[in-house]
């Protein structure tokens, strides 16, 4: 019988690998911020605002793709079919960001 992994980060997040990937891309965005901030005095403020909005949009889009389109939702669809204990795991474990496990009333 196939069972769900509850060891390590999988105890706190159903998809810690996707969370790590999103954090990695978001970190690169944060590391790139000094460049537009340094250039703001030389350019119009609109350039800085558009750059900040674009970077925020990239982070949001990456999150959305990892959770809803290519990552978590499709993976969970197949996990529910293959692992009988996965539904309970979904009820007690956060989907994306690591956190404390919830209790179930059963």
């Amino acid at each position: 019988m196939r069972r769900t992994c509850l060891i390590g980060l999988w105890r706190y997040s159903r998809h810690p690998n996707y969370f790590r990937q999103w954090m990695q891309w978001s970190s690169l965005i944060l590391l790139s911020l000094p460049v537009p901030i340094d250039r703001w005095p030389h350019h119009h403020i609109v350039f800085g605002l558009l750059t900040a909005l674009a970077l925020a949009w990239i982070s949001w889009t990456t999150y959305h793709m990892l959770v809803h389109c290519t990552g978590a939702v499709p993976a969970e669809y197949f996990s529910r079919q293959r692992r009988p204990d996965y539904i309970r795991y979904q009820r007690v474990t956060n989907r994306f960001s690591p956190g404390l496990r919830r209790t179930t009333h059963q």
Side-chain angles (χ1 to χ4, degrees), residues 3-63:
R3 299 196 60 210
T4 303
C5 179
L6 298 173
I7 299 170
L9 291 175
W10 280 270
R11 182 167 176 74
Y12 305 104
S13 171
R14 295 193 310 255
H15 301 282
N17 48 340
Y18 296 139
F19 178 73
R20 182 214 38 92
Q21 190 174 20
W22 179 73
M23 290 296 293
Q24 186 176 23
W25 283 106
S26 296
S27 297
L28 291 173
I29 290 170
L30 290 175
L31 288 170
S32 73
L33 285 177
V35 174
I37 290 172
D38 183 52
R39 293 178 186 239
W40 280 352
H42 306 293
H43 295 287
H44 197 272
I45 189 71
V46 174
F47 169 76
L49 292 175
L50 288 175
T51 302
L53 286 173
L55 292 173
W57 179 79
I58 290 169
S59 181
W60 179 85
T61 302
T62 305
Y63 167 82

Side-chain angles (χ1 to χ4, degrees), residues 36-105:
I37 290 172
D38 183 52
R39 293 178 186 239
W40 280 352
H42 306 293
H43 295 287
H44 197 272
I45 189 71
V46 174
F47 169 76
L49 292 175
L50 288 175
T51 302
L53 286 173
L55 292 173
W57 179 79
I58 290 169
S59 181
W60 179 85
T61 302
T62 305
Y63 167 82
H64 182 75
M65 294 297 287
L66 288 171
V67 173
H68 300 288
C69 299
T70 63
V73 171
E76 290 190 347
Y77 173 78
F78 293 107
S79 292
R80 279 193 309 270
Q81 293 178 351
R82 294 181 185 130
R83 297 182 186 100
D85 61 339
Y86 199 79
I87 293 172
R88 182 184 181 287
Y89 179 63
Q90 285 180 302
R91 284 194 294 254
V92 299
T93 309
N94 293 337
R95 176 187 286 169
F96 190 67
S97 59
L100 297 176
R101 293 171 60 88
R102 298 180 290 276
T103 58
T104 60
H105 302 288

